[in-house]
Amino acid sequence: MQAVGELTGGMAHDFNNLLMAVQGNLEFLRSGIEGDAKQEKYLDTAMRAVGRGTDLTRRLLAFSRKQLLQPEPTAINDLVSDMLELIRRSIGPSIDVSVDLDAAVGKALVDPALLENALLNLSINARDAMPQGGSLRIESGMTTQASGFGGQDVVLQPGDYIMIAVHDTGTGMPPDVLERVFEPFYSTKETGKGTGLGLAMVYGFIKQSGGHIEIKSTVGEGTGVYLYLPVGEGAAPVNNAVPDTDEPLRGGEETILVVEDDPPVRDVIVGVLRQWGYDVKEAPNAFIAKQLIRDGLRPEMLLTDIIQPQGSNGIELADATVQYDPDCAILLMSGFSNKLLDLAENNALPYPLLTKPFSHEDLVRKVRFILDDRVETNLPGSGRL
Ligand SMILES: Nc1ncnc2c1ncn2[C@@H]1O[C@H](COP(=O)(O)OP(=O)(O)OP(=O)(O)O)[C@@H](O)[C@H]1O
Ligand SMILES: [Mg+2]
């Protein structure tokens, strides 16, 4: 497990940089073939393959408990209720969906987007176990656990946990299957139907969130998957999401210092930002970036990769840049690496993050959003005015 985790974390970084270079350049090609349906079809196919590669890396990271989570106090009953429509649509009309939510259930400290993803995965497994139809029931409740809770893997603090269970009336699993379901790539589905990463991913995510997962299953009767999550209040982390809006993309004329050691990736980022009007300066590492700033460069934004060769890193560079100029906006980028989790305290980074691979649109939106946000937050009493 440990070894797989290390390997995945190391590979994901390189893999996401590769995907980023492929995706970024494919997107440049698009403007040249607009209106040519055949060429566009080839491009769409290639882009879909990039999407699958991205998804696969994300799942492997989840399994090896190496994701950057964004836990926040999440009202569990609301999250389940808000998902029902999506679940119903995903599993089809032959399965009856019901809920049994305990009003005593409050907030759990968990990454809401990943919890939704986990519940969707469990619902799809339930659907696959009920080819002739059946019923799916999502239950929530409070539980108090004694010491020793959490299995042999990680021992958890005794105390209160929020339980969410997904029950189905499907085929159930014999003991030899049940024993192996959390193994990555273990699937009883036909080749091409399942990657066998669904439960491995849910398992990794729940464990990394400080929770626990159990399955009870009887052949011919059905299965119940029980998730236990830590109860929690706490501060919401920096929001790393790309703003979800239909507004037209906007560029700008600000100076942006781009720090990225991978040349093809740097070329994509610099190319896109120049296309949108920005005055872009580039550096291959934090060392050279610091030099530029010491020599008087004052960018409005520092856009920097976090993990860099030669022992430096983007967070340290961001801290140093902000010392020179507190008004400089910071945006971090990363394709992920094991080292990232060491840098992130409680899984949270001190500055907003754009995860690789990202699209041209993600980049342009996020950069504009952070720059505008900076102007708003810096206006009152800003030393600049
Ligand atoms: N609710 C369930 N009822 C019966 N069997 C299940 C259920 N959930 C999982 N399984 C069994 O566990 C195996 C592993 O599940 P997992 O979700 O990890 O992978 P998968 O569903 O086969 O593929 P993927 O989720 O990647 O599409 C399944 O192939 C199936 O045999
Ligand atoms: Mg599955």
Side-chain angles (χ1 to χ4, degrees):
M1 248 303 289
Q2 186 69 25
V4 178
E6 294 298 317
L7 189 69
T8 318
M11 257 178 51
H13 177 250
D14 293 348
F15 208 68
N16 281 331
N17 270 327
L18 288 173
L19 288 167
M20 173 85 218
V22 175
Q23 168 170 346
N25 284 298
L26 285 175
E27 283 190 83
F28 278 132
L29 281 180
R30 189 174 294 278
S31 52
I33 60 164
E34 229 156 304
D36 184 334
K38 197 166 164 201
Q39 304 283 350
E40 280 183 338
K41 215 178 97 199
Y42 291 141
L43 196 62
D44 289 340
T45 309
M47 286 293 284
R48 268 200 303 280
V50 171
R52 279 171 51 199
T54 308
D55 193 50
L56 197 63
T57 326
R58 200 171 45 78
R59 284 169 159 232
L60 282 168
L61 281 175
F63 151 70
S64 49
R65 302 180 208 171
K66 301 280 185 194
Q67 301 185 92
L68 194 66
L69 301 179
Q70 292 211 67
E72 59 182 86
T74 303
I76 294 301
N77 289 347
D78 291 349
L79 181 137
V80 171
S81 306
D82 290 347
M83 273 194 78
L84 285 180
E85 210 26 61
L86 174 67
I87 291 177
R88 284 203 178 95
R89 257 189 292 124
S90 312
I91 65 179
S94 64
I95 294 168
D96 175 55
V97 179
S98 63
V99 287
D100 182 0
L101 304 175
D102 181 347
V105 169
K107 291 180 176 173
L109 196 58
V110 67
D111 185 320
L114 291 171
L115 180 60
E116 284 178 7
N117 187 286
L119 291 174
L120 195 59
N121 261 285
L122 297 180
S123 304
I124 288 171
N125 278 351
R127 174 200 69 190
D128 292 347
M130 299 185 283
Q132 317 310 344
S135 60
L136 179 145
R137 184 169 58 90
I138 303 182
E139 180 195 359
S140 74
M142 293 304 299
T143 64
T144 304
Q145 301 293 339
S147 61
F149 171 60
Q152 353 82 324
D153 208 5
V154 191
V155 176
L156 297 173
Q157 291 290 325
D160 291 340
Y161 285 81
I162 289 173
M163 185 271 298
I164 314 171
V166 179
H167 302 276
D168 67 57
T169 56
T171 55
M173 286 174 260
D176 60 313
V177 172
L178 197 51
E179 212 169 81
R180 302 190 56 190
V181 286
F182 296 128
E183 278 177 30
F185 304 113
Y186 177 79
S187 175
T188 59
K189 295 170 191 172
E190 311 164 33
T191 328
K193 274 263 169 78
T195 62
L197 283 170
L199 283 175
M201 182 175 69
V202 175
Y203 181 88
F205 159 62
I206 295 294
K207 287 286 169 181
Q208 204 189 340
S209 304
H212 184 51
I213 177 168
E214 279 170 6
I215 302 188
K216 292 179 189 150
S217 190
T218 310
V219 173
E221 285 181 20
T223 301
V225 182
Y226 297 78
L227 308 180
Y228 297 89
L229 293 169
V231 173
E233 297 293 330
V238 180
N239 182 3
N240 290 336
V242 174
D244 183 18
T245 148
D246 294 335
E247 276 175 40
L249 291 180
R250 275 188 303 125
E253 291 177 350
E254 287 93 342
T255 303
I256 302 179
L257 174 57
V258 174
V259 186
E260 165 65 60
D261 61 291
D262 191 310
V265 174
R266 192 172 64 238
D267 289 348
V268 167
I269 295 168
V270 168
V272 172
L273 292 175
R274 287 204 173 124
Q275 245 180 15
W276 285 89
Y278 294 103
D279 176 17
V280 184
K281 308 282 187 253
E282 48 185 307
N285 57 48
F287 180 75
I288 293 178
K290 277 185 199 163
Q291 196 77 51
L292 291 173
I293 290 170
R294 263 199 299 271
D295 292 347
L297 178 67
R298 291 289 175 271
E300 269 94 3
M301 172 182 270
L302 169 71
L303 175 59
T304 177
D305 195 22
I306 299 180
I307 307 300
Q308 300 182 9
Q310 295 149 2
S312 180
N313 73 68
I315 296 176
E316 196 189 277
L317 172 64
D319 290 343
T321 307
V322 170
Q323 276 193 347
Y324 269 93
D325 179 5
D327 287 344
C328 182
I330 307 288
L331 180 54
L332 304 173
M333 312 178 266
S334 186
F336 191 83
S337 137
N338 289 347
K339 292 190 200 124
L340 192 58
L341 289 182
D342 301 338
L343 293 171
E345 241 172 89
N346 295 325
N347 281 312
L349 293 167
Y351 304 102
L353 171 77
L354 194 54
T355 44
K356 292 182 204 164
F358 46 80
S359 65
H360 292 193
E361 179 176 339
D362 288 349
L363 175 63
V364 174
R365 273 203 202 291
K366 189 75 184 182
V367 162
R368 196 60 255 163
F369 178 77
I370 303 268
L371 282 168
D372 290 347
D373 202 40
R374 172 195 71 118
V375 171
E376 269 168 34
T377 45
N378 289 346
L379 267 182
S382 153
R384 284 201 158 178
L385 291 176

